[in-house]
Amino acid sequence: MLEIKNLHARIAEDGTEILRGIDLKVNAGEVHAVMGPNGSGKSTLSYILAGKEDYEVTEGEIIFHGENLLDMEPDERAAAGVFLAFQYPIEIPGVATMEFLKTAMNAQRKARGQAELTIPDFMKLVRAKAADLNVTMDMLKRPLNVGFSGGEKKRAEILQMSLLEPSLCVLDETDSGLDIDALRIVSEGVNKLRSPERAMIVITHYQRLLDHIVPDVVHVLSKGKIVKTGGKELALELEKNGYADYVGEAA
Amino acid sequence: MNAPTPINHTQAEAGLVARFDAVRPSLAGSIAVTALRDAAAEQIKATGLPHRRVEEYKYTDLRAFMKSAAPLAAPATSAEAKSVLDGFESYGALDRYRIVIANGTFNADLSDVDALAAEGVTVTDFNDGLAGENGSELLATPKMAGQDGTLALNTAFVQGGVVISVKDGADVSKPVELVQVAVGEGAQVSRNRIVVAKGATFKLLETFAGDTGAGETNVVFDYDVADGAKLAATRLMAGKAEGAKLFTTLARIGADAEFKALGFLAGPAFARNQQFISFTGENSEAKIYGVTMARDRDLADQTLIVDHAVPHCNSREFFKTVLDDEARGVYQGRINVAPHAQKTDGEMMTQALLLGEGAEMANKPELEIFADDVLCAHGATCGEMDADLLFYLRARGIPEAEARTLLVLAFLSEAIEEFDEDTVTEELGARVRAWLAA
Ligand SMILES: Nc1ncnc2c1ncn2[C@@H]1O[C@H](COP(=O)(O)OP(=O)(O)O)[C@@H](O)[C@H]1O
Ligand SMILES: [Mg+2]
């Protein structure tokens, strides 16, 4: 489904190189965990997948469903099935959450040539999925993410993900800022979306999320490169020994 | 005061002087009113149109903008006015009463005079008032307006308008649309006195229909909000317009009263919405909002003075401006607090969003405080659209143009929502969308 080949990228503004040759292949149905120390480029990778303009790809390519992802606008990528759950979801005052959800769902449907959702259908969907994720009606009545706690923001991201039903879910440190209960709710929400047609890239700094969302493959990212790939036991090893071994290797 | 230096008239100024001489005999009013008109015309003749060296018009050079003086619009028939109204969309299906001013004069035929009378609202011709004993009182201007050129133009040329009186305690069941209709091209000059008596509640929708061509539109809305009364006024000027749009609010707010106003400007080449608001009684509140959009090389100006002349009053001023292309926006807001006006609470904020690289905003919020026990604040921001917000929306599949629309709407909605008038919220949102789509 997704193939990243020799991806090099730098910060557009000052030319600082962040990603230095990433190769990553993700098949439908798989869950890949990307782990690594702070500053290794995990968020940068997720932003480049989503199409943020702050970064410039200097080498390599990304093929998604047989298409060149880097040629697509962020909204086109979303409609094609890419979803990024942000590490830091931002507050958007003045944009009502429900209005936003409806606009986003219908925009993607339109891009895919599907009819718009009727209001009752839309409401039904949101109610059911919001209940699963413990997202209250009060939260949905507020402007997007405004006044949400850290955990509420993360739950709202996963709500968006489950409504938009992407084929590639990229979760950037969705576990950060979550207490144990919230972690369980969010993980259940994510696990519900696991399916043979869907792939996931779960970015995390800690192993604990991977107890809940069990990955098929684990990669270690260090200094902009994948320095080790293994099974889920790799995460456990990292938990025990830390990143020190790998940070050294990449240098 | 220095005697004004004689000026070389621009073509528009010479035209205005000639226009005054031509129409003077036909303009309404008592001898005292005519004297006021003459004095105002004399002021224009002596000092010209307001221009950039007049402090209050520093950014809004009417003299440079007006190339000529179009004649005053000729009287229109009811049938003519009706046909313009039929093609005019203001508040859609909103249940409301209507009062019509056509080419500057009151049209009773097209106005809901009887239905309003049944609700305790009398509507009379401004010109009848001008002809009466106290006619000149209808043209009174507050001291804080000084020698304002827009007001002088209005006083000299005012063709008519209405006096709306809402009786004590009346709670008018529907909003009233006061619509200025232009039939054919020509300048439109009207003045309207709105008196909301003790304890009454009134909602006014000010709209503008038809095309005045190069002729200027100069309308004064003069509000008397009595003790315990509530007035909410929404001024909606939307759509392209070639001639200058000049609006003036004069408001006096009694004790325990509430005055809310929102001025919406989107489209004219040159628009100024100026407001002179004073508290005359204690424990009252004024909430003044502005929603301004301009593009091309257009100019939109929101200017106001809120005079806290008495203690214990609150005022809120919240203005939002969106500018594209090489448009210019102006906000000049001043809160005056008199020496004895203790416990004044004033909070002024002006925020601009620049969409075009050549767009410019002049933000001038000011406080003039002479009392010591007050709570007053002001702020001003000016910036471009936040790239991170835009990216977030696009990352959810919302195409760029739609994402921008959402964000502009969100930016302007803050003022529309705080204004909190259910009857207009949706329509104003639709106007923002229409402006963005144009
Ligand atoms: N837009 C940006 N501007 C400046 N520096 C950036 C930007 N994005 C990332 N960086 C830098 O790139 C490096 C990698 O960041 P990031 O991808 O956020 O790492 P991680 O998510 O693994 O912690 C860090 O040193 C970070 O400071
Ligand atoms: Mg990160």
Side-chain angles (χ1 to χ4, degrees):
Chain A
M1 174 188 292
L2 176 77
E3 194 170 0
I4 301 175
K5 292 184 208 162
N6 190 32
L7 184 71
H8 288 254
R10 61 187 186 194
I11 295 166
E13 205 175 19
D14 60 13
T16 311
E17 190 168 35
I18 308 288
L19 302 185
R20 305 154 193 258
I22 293 206
D23 289 286
L24 180 65
K25 194 172 172 194
V26 181
N27 296 314
E30 292 177 351
V31 173
H32 289 235
V34 174
M35 303 183 72
N38 280 329
S40 55
K42 303 185 297 295
S43 291
T44 300
L45 175 62
S46 75
Y47 281 142
I48 287 171
L49 286 169
K52 201 166 198 234
E53 281 173 1
D54 305 26
Y55 307 95
E56 193 185 314
V57 172
T58 51
E59 230 184 299
E61 57 177 356
I62 304 179
I63 306 297
F64 179 61
H65 287 306
E67 284 188 78
N68 196 341
L69 194 70
L70 296 174
D71 287 346
M72 297 158 79
E73 296 291 321
D75 46 288
E76 293 171 341
R77 299 182 193 199
V82 176
F83 182 95
L84 167 63
F86 287 81
Q87 180 172 5
Y88 304 108
I90 45 177
E91 305 196 355
I92 312 195
V95 175
T97 303
M98 289 300 264
E99 185 65 23
F100 160 76
L101 292 174
K102 186 153 61 69
T103 307
M105 288 173 79
N106 282 331
Q108 293 201 16
R109 294 177 71 91
K110 192 173 164 203
R112 294 194 286 258
Q114 297 165 317
E116 286 199 357
L117 283 167
T118 65
I119 304 269
D121 285 348
F122 165 74
M123 293 298 296
K124 218 159 58 191
L125 269 172
V126 174
R127 277 213 195 87
K129 305 213 164 169
D132 282 351
L133 287 158
N134 218 348
V135 171
T136 60
M137 269 298 144
D138 172 59
M139 282 168 69
L140 293 173
K141 277 186 196 142
R142 275 185 262 164
L144 190 58
N145 292 330
V146 174
F148 288 17
S149 69
E152 286 174 338
K153 283 180 184 162
K154 297 299 176 80
R155 296 205 311 263
E157 291 288 289
I158 303 306
L159 172 64
Q160 291 178 32
M161 189 167 94
S162 56
L163 287 167
L164 293 168
E165 301 187 313
S167 56
L168 176 66
C169 305
V170 182
L171 300 150
D172 190 4
E173 302 222 16
T174 297
D175 50 337
S176 67
L178 294 185
D179 60 28
I180 293 294
D181 289 332
L183 185 65
R184 189 180 41 77
I185 293 168
V186 163
S187 306
E188 277 170 12
V190 173
N191 284 330
K192 258 196 189 169
L193 287 169
R194 290 184 78 152
S195 93
E197 292 82 44
R198 185 170 286 132
M200 295 187 181
I201 296 177
V202 180
I203 293 171
T204 181
H205 190 73
Y206 302 105
Q207 194 269 336
R208 73 173 186 162
L209 177 67
L210 304 180
D211 286 340
H212 300 270
I213 306 169
V214 181
D216 302 298
V217 187
V218 175
H219 308 274
V220 180
L221 187 68
S222 176
K223 298 184 181 161
K225 265 184 156 164
I226 290 178
V227 292
K228 174 108 186 163
T229 295
K232 60 175 181 263
E233 63 290 346
L234 178 57
L236 291 166
E237 185 199 316
L238 285 167
E239 178 76 359
K240 224 171 29 192
N241 304 333
Y243 291 110
D245 299 351
Y246 303 103
V247 176
E249 262 174 52
Chain B
M1 223 165 86
N2 296 330
T5 352
I7 57 155
N8 291 322
H9 285 155
T10 60
Q11 191 186 329
E13 287 160 350
L16 288 167
V17 171
R19 184 214 266 174
F20 186 72
D21 291 340
V23 297
R24 186 177 179 276
S26 63
L27 292 169
S30 61
I31 291 171
V33 163
T34 304
L36 287 173
R37 290 184 186 274
D38 287 345
E42 195 50 47
Q43 180 190 325
I44 296 159
K45 191 170 173 179
T47 61
L49 287 164
H51 53 80
R52 66 195 155 83
R53 279 190 298 279
V54 175
E55 183 62 20
E56 294 79 6
Y57 288 83
K58 188 171 170 189
Y59 309 100
T60 307
D61 194 329
L62 184 61
R63 191 178 194 214
F65 175 78
M66 262 180 90
K67 297 298 175 227
S68 62
L72 283 183
T77 66
S78 295
E80 289 168 330
K82 188 169 183 310
S83 91
V84 172
L85 277 171
D86 287 345
F88 175 60
E89 286 283 329
S90 57
Y91 284 94
L94 178 70
D95 194 14
R96 62 197 189 270
Y97 294 118
R98 195 169 67 182
I99 297 171
V100 176
I101 314 290
N103 285 7
T105 58
F106 175 43
N107 186 307
D109 292 348
L110 297 174
S111 303
D112 297 319
V113 178
D114 296 340
L116 280 163
E119 293 240 27
V121 181
T122 58
V123 184
T124 57
D125 193 326
F126 193 82
N127 285 344
D128 293 346
L130 283 184
E133 220 173 296
N134 298 317
S136 56
E137 188 271 333
L138 283 174
L139 297 182
T141 59
K143 213 169 167 186
M144 63 176 141
Q147 298 289 99
D148 180 73
T150 297
L151 273 171
L153 278 174
N154 186 278
T155 298
F157 291 108
V158 62
Q159 295 164 288
V162 278
V163 177
I164 302 173
S165 304
V166 185
K167 78 161 196 229
D168 281 12
D171 184 357
V172 184
S173 68
K174 297 187 228 177
V176 175
E177 179 177 2
L178 174 58
V179 53
Q180 314 280 326
V181 183
V183 175
E185 299 193 352
Q188 308 253 341
V189 186
S190 81
R191 197 145 171 155
N192 307 282
R193 169 71 61 91
I194 294 99
V195 182
V196 187
K198 276 188 184 156
T201 300
F202 195 58
K203 292 178 192 299
L204 188 64
L205 308 172
E206 298 155 359
T207 59
F208 307 87
D211 184 359
T212 59
E216 82 274 14
T217 300
N218 185 326
V219 185
V220 173
F221 299 90
D222 187 359
Y223 312 119
D224 248 319
V225 187
D227 294 353
K230 289 181 187 166
L231 171 62
T234 310
R235 186 166 303 159
L236 172 58
M237 174 72 236
K240 277 197 126 10
E242 182 194 340
K245 300 293 165 190
L246 306 167
F247 307 122
T248 307
T249 293
L250 306 174
R252 292 161 302 281
I253 307 166
D256 305 304
E258 281 176 42
F259 173 56
K260 279 208 296 190
L262 184 143
F264 187 102
L265 302 175
F270 187 103
R272 176 171 170 107
N273 186 38
Q274 59 174 5
Q275 312 189 60
F276 302 98
I277 297 158
S278 60
F279 288 103
T280 59
E282 300 186 13
N283 301 313
S284 291
E285 184 171 59
K287 293 171 147 191
I288 317 298
Y289 300 93
V291 173
T292 309
M293 280 158 282
R295 62 160 58 93
D296 302 327
R297 306 208 61 198
D298 297 347
L299 173 133
D301 169 335
Q302 298 266 14
T303 290
L304 73 153
I305 302 177
V306 177
D307 193 25
H308 284 265
V310 296
H312 295 283
C313 288
N314 298 341
S315 76
R316 163 71 164 159
E317 297 78 19
F318 190 22
F319 284 74
K320 293 275 196 173
T321 307
V322 172
L323 301 172
D324 203 349
D325 305 321
E326 290 165 62
R328 284 161 300 151
V330 179
Y331 174 80
Q332 305 179 104
R334 194 166 91 218
I335 298 179
N336 288 342
V337 183
H340 57 284
Q342 303 297 0
K343 304 289 179 196
T344 289
D345 188 335
E347 201 193 342
M348 176 156 58
M349 176 55 89
T350 167
Q351 298 178 320
L353 179 62
L354 306 182
L355 304 177
E357 282 183 11
E360 263 177 57
M361 180 73 196
N363 257 333
K364 223 175 100 188
E366 290 178 296
L367 301 175
E368 244 183 61
I369 302 175
F370 294 103
D372 48 23
D373 187 12
V374 301
L375 215 65
C376 283
H378 67 71
T381 66
C382 186
E384 292 165 19
M385 189 170 276
D386 187 320
D388 289 336
L389 297 182
L390 196 58
F391 175 65
Y392 188 96
L393 297 176
R394 297 187 67 197
R396 295 301 178 250
I398 302 172
E400 182 169 6
E402 207 175 339
R404 285 183 177 277
T405 297
L406 269 179
L407 291 177
V408 172
L409 205 53
F411 173 79
L412 296 174
S413 292
E414 283 187 282
I416 297 172
E417 267 160 33
E418 201 183 293
F419 179 55
D420 194 25
E421 278 296 310
D422 295 349
T423 47
V424 302
T425 305
E426 206 172 303
E427 183 62 32
L428 297 183
R431 296 299 174 138
V432 174
R433 283 176 186 277
W435 183 84
L436 286 164

